[in-house]
Amino acid sequence: MSRTKKSIFTNVDWPIVGIYLLLVLMGWLNIYATLYNEDSSLFDFTQRHGKQLMWIGISIVVFLVITLVDSRLFETLAYVFYLSLIHISEPTRLLSI
């Protein structure tokens, strides 16, 4: 009996991921085109399009980390995440009164 290890990416809805990446790319190109300057580079992180590209890269890394982590970890730590987010947001709620 052979046990083949399935990749986590076999259950990903690739058309949705492709549409998402296409929309992200179109949005980033719109920011670049709006703020186009002949002197700036495409990867100039002092410009808005460079900062947006940095956040796009960070979000892809976060997606990969969350996808590769075992889902039981999130089930185990769900209450800790929930309570810590309530604790963090409590001063905001009190200040908005």
Side-chain angles (χ1 to χ4, degrees):
M1 199 189 239
S2 68
R3 288 179 50 171
T4 59
K5 187 169 182 162
K6 288 175 53 176
S7 172
I8 192 139
F9 296 109
T10 56
N11 293 330
V12 174
D13 189 3
W14 289 111
I16 296 295
V17 172
I19 291 170
Y20 169 76
L21 290 175
L22 181 67
L23 287 172
V24 167
L25 178 67
M26 287 172 47
W28 181 68
L29 287 174
N30 277 322
I31 293 171
Y32 177 72
T34 303
L35 303 171
Y36 179 72
N37 185 359
E38 291 181 11
D39 299 330
S40 70
S41 166
L42 188 64
F43 302 104
D44 185 8
F45 292 111
T46 60
Q47 300 292 324
R48 289 189 187 266
H49 56 86
K51 293 175 184 178
Q52 185 70 23
L53 184 63
M54 180 183 63
W55 283 110
I56 291 169
I58 290 171
S59 69
I60 290 172
V61 169
V62 168
F63 166 75
L64 290 173
V65 168
I66 289 174
T67 303
L68 295 174
V69 170
D70 189 17
S71 63
R72 288 178 286 187
L73 176 69
F74 295 117
E75 292 172 3
T76 304
L77 296 177
Y79 291 111
V80 174
F81 290 149
Y82 179 69
L83 292 175
S84 62
L85 287 174
I86 288 177
H87 180 69
I88 289 170
S89 66
E90 187 63 28
T92 307
R93 187 184 71 80
L94 292 175
L95 291 174
S96 66
I97 294 177

